[in-house]
Amino acid sequence: MTAQEAEDFLRTYRSMLKTWTMAVAGFSNDDSDLLYRQLEADQNVLADIAISYPEKSYSVDLLINSRSRTWAGYAEQRLPRPQNRQS
């Protein structure tokens, strides 16, 4: 994997992480379980990028920690949001 391919992968992973976060928070109808499994499967690639490109290891750490932190709750466990809430 070239440095550009690694950067492209990080960009794609970051986008998928955002999509998953929106699904978990209840802001989208995407399948959060499917997205999570894909994020989990791609974690090995992140590790390879961190080893091959040490200058990208901080970005890799941020992405892994963002995915693995404890969430306040999944959409079905959260209280309903007010209808007039501005986003």
Side-chain angles (χ1 to χ4, degrees), residues 6-47:
E7 194 60 44
D8 291 343
F9 183 87
L10 292 175
R11 188 175 17 265
T12 301
Y13 192 92
R14 197 174 293 115
S15 176
M16 190 180 346
L17 180 62
K18 180 180 179 182
T19 302
W20 174 72
T21 302
M22 298 291 283
V24 167
F27 291 110
S28 76
N29 293 325
D30 292 317
D31 184 350
S32 61
D33 292 335
L34 177 67
L35 290 165
Y36 183 83
R37 285 191 296 276
Q38 184 62 48
L39 290 169
E40 188 75 15
D42 288 345
Q43 190 164 326
N44 291 334
V45 178
L46 289 176

